[in-house]
Amino acid sequence: MSRPALETRVFQFLVIAVSLAFFWILRPYAGAILWGAVLAIVFAPLNRRLRQEWRDRRTPAALGTMLIILVLVVLPVVLIIMALVREGTDLYARIQSGELDVGQWFQQIYAALPGWVVRLLDRVGLGDLEAIQARVSNGLTRSMQFLAQQALSLTQNTLGFVVDLGVMLYLLFFLLRDGDVLARRIRGAVPIAAEQQRNLAERFTTVIRATVKGNLVVAVVQGALGGLIFWFLGVHAPVLWGVLMALVSLLPAVGAPVVWIPVAVYLLATGAVWKGVVLIVFGALVIGSADNVLRPILVGKDTKLPDYVVLISTLGGIAVFGANGFVVGPLIAALFVAVWEIVGVSREIDRDGTEPVAAAVAIPEQPAAG
């Protein structure tokens, strides 16, 4: 091997090793870095507009954008987390003391079932009340304990949350102020053709905006509406249930009905008929229609992955990256599709000798889950 080739190999190894080491030391703050980059991408149009209004003054524009983000995003999230911790602590204490008995809820529901439903359950082998109650009560109790413990753990990790929030805001400021310069440096260093870089960058930003503006905002709205109606009807821990409703709303084919329908059934079965009817009507007409009304407005013509891809990639992202997987999973899936589209386009160019009309194949759009 010649000396220049050896030097090239050594330098390539050094680049890879240093890059891996850099990512390794940033790993404890991966969530803060991710959300700083996400917010910078989502609010980049607003930052550019402020910069134009203020004669290309980068620092005031970045500070103004951060102030808007603090008011619209950070402050509401902090208030929700504080309420969630309070309700989670209370719920955990009630479960531990026995004041909250899930088995008693099940007995009330079973006792209120019509006779034909009871006979149907007997016919299909589900008439053993004690066995079913034990299984359902055990499952519900463990689920509620898990939710309460997760909320309680937020209190124990207050210092970590404050540090992550500070890192996110610090990084966000520089990404808003110098993000375009940083993007040009990255594009100049990455050994990929300019057209491919442009396709990947467009898909990256499009998926981030579609995921945050579409999935996250719609889920937050549905969770807020659910928590509001639960509070109005006097359901215990409305913030906790609202957050749970927002989380399941992020999953296609699942959605908020998984939370509010069982609560409505419980209200009807325990004699609170008007509350159950109000919850069903509100859930079907208001919570259920929020997705269909808001998503086209927020996402517009942004590319949307098929629901089955979103579901699988979201569940996989959560399993690997935790809560950050709600964004990371669909993002990796979208980049996977974009990279293979580029491979297909390149092969088509090599085969035909002419560039196809479209630089990338559009992902077929699927109807959103209700």
Side-chain angles (χ1 to χ4, degrees):
M1 181 184 296
S2 63
R3 183 175 180 82
L6 178 62
E7 292 176 350
T8 301
R9 293 280 183 87
V10 171
F11 181 73
Q12 290 174 345
F13 174 79
L14 179 63
V15 169
I16 295 174
V18 171
S19 299
L20 291 176
F22 180 69
F23 291 135
W24 180 63
I25 64 173
L26 293 182
R27 187 183 173 196
Y29 303 103
I33 294 171
L34 170 69
W35 288 105
V38 166
L39 290 175
I41 291 172
V42 172
F43 287 89
L46 174 62
N47 184 59
R48 285 195 296 268
R49 184 171 180 178
L50 291 179
R51 190 183 299 174
Q52 291 174 356
E53 294 290 335
W54 294 343
R55 299 179 181 178
D56 201 31
R57 298 171 64 190
R58 292 174 174 266
T59 299
L63 290 174
T65 306
M66 284 194 63
L67 179 60
I68 294 174
I69 293 174
L70 286 172
V71 174
L72 295 182
V73 179
V74 177
L75 182 59
V77 168
V78 171
L79 294 177
I80 290 174
I81 289 177
M82 292 173 60
L84 184 62
V85 169
R86 183 174 61 252
E87 290 188 357
T89 304
D90 179 60
L91 180 63
Y92 185 77
R94 294 181 65 184
I95 294 176
Q96 293 296 100
S97 65
E99 179 184 353
L100 193 60
D101 189 354
V102 179
Q104 185 179 1
W105 290 1
F106 183 81
Q107 286 181 340
Q108 291 176 326
I109 295 176
Y110 194 89
L113 293 176
W116 65 270
V117 176
V118 176
R119 289 191 296 272
L120 178 62
L121 292 176
D122 288 334
R123 220 174 289 136
V124 297
L126 298 177
D128 189 352
L129 176 61
E130 293 184 1
I132 297 175
Q133 177 183 337
R135 292 180 182 179
V136 174
S137 299
N138 186 39
L140 289 177
T141 300
R142 285 189 296 180
S143 300
M144 296 179 69
Q145 283 179 335
F146 173 77
L147 292 173
Q149 287 173 344
Q150 291 297 110
L152 187 62
S153 67
L154 292 174
T155 304
Q156 302 169 349
N157 297 325
T158 302
L159 178 60
F161 174 77
V162 172
V163 172
D164 286 344
L165 181 62
V167 171
M168 185 198 74
L169 293 175
Y170 185 76
L171 175 64
L172 176 60
F173 169 75
F174 288 101
L175 289 177
L176 289 172
R177 194 188 70 174
D178 307 319
D180 51 351
V181 177
L182 179 61
R184 284 197 298 270
R185 289 182 178 178
I186 293 176
R187 286 197 299 267
V190 175
I192 300 178
E195 183 66 23
Q196 295 173 346
Q197 286 187 9
R198 185 159 49 251
N199 288 338
L200 287 175
E202 289 176 357
R203 182 59 57 87
F204 182 87
T205 55
T206 295
V207 170
I208 286 290
R209 288 171 183 161
T211 300
V212 174
K213 291 195 300 182
N215 297 347
L216 289 182
V217 173
V218 170
V220 168
V221 171
Q222 289 184 322
L225 291 172
L228 181 63
I229 192 63
F230 278 20
W231 170 80
F232 176 76
L233 297 176
V235 178
H236 181 71
V239 175
L240 184 64
W241 294 117
V243 170
L244 179 60
M245 201 176 304
L247 293 178
V248 297
S249 297
L250 290 167
L251 301 177
V254 180
V258 173
V259 177
W260 64 259
I261 286 180
V263 176
V265 171
Y266 170 77
L267 292 174
L268 293 173
T270 54
V273 178
W274 76 269
K275 291 184 178 181
V277 172
V278 168
L279 181 55
I280 291 174
V281 172
F282 188 88
L285 298 182
V286 180
I287 299 177
S289 62
D291 182 84
N292 297 328
V293 173
L294 291 177
R295 193 180 299 275
I297 298 174
L298 295 172
V299 180
K301 297 181 180 180
D302 285 353
T303 300
K304 179 180 180 297
L305 290 171
D307 283 343
Y308 61 87
V309 176
V310 175
L311 176 61
I312 296 173
S313 61
T314 301
L315 292 176
I318 294 171
V320 177
F321 299 102
N324 296 326
F326 282 113
V327 173
V328 177
L331 177 59
I332 292 176
L335 292 178
F336 171 82
V337 173
V339 167
W340 281 100
E341 285 176 356
I342 292 174
V343 171
V345 170
S346 299
R347 290 177 62 87
E348 185 176 346
I349 294 174
D350 293 339
R351 183 173 58 252
D352 299 339
T354 57
E355 187 171 354
V357 176
V361 180
I363 298 178
E365 190 157 335
Q366 300 289 329

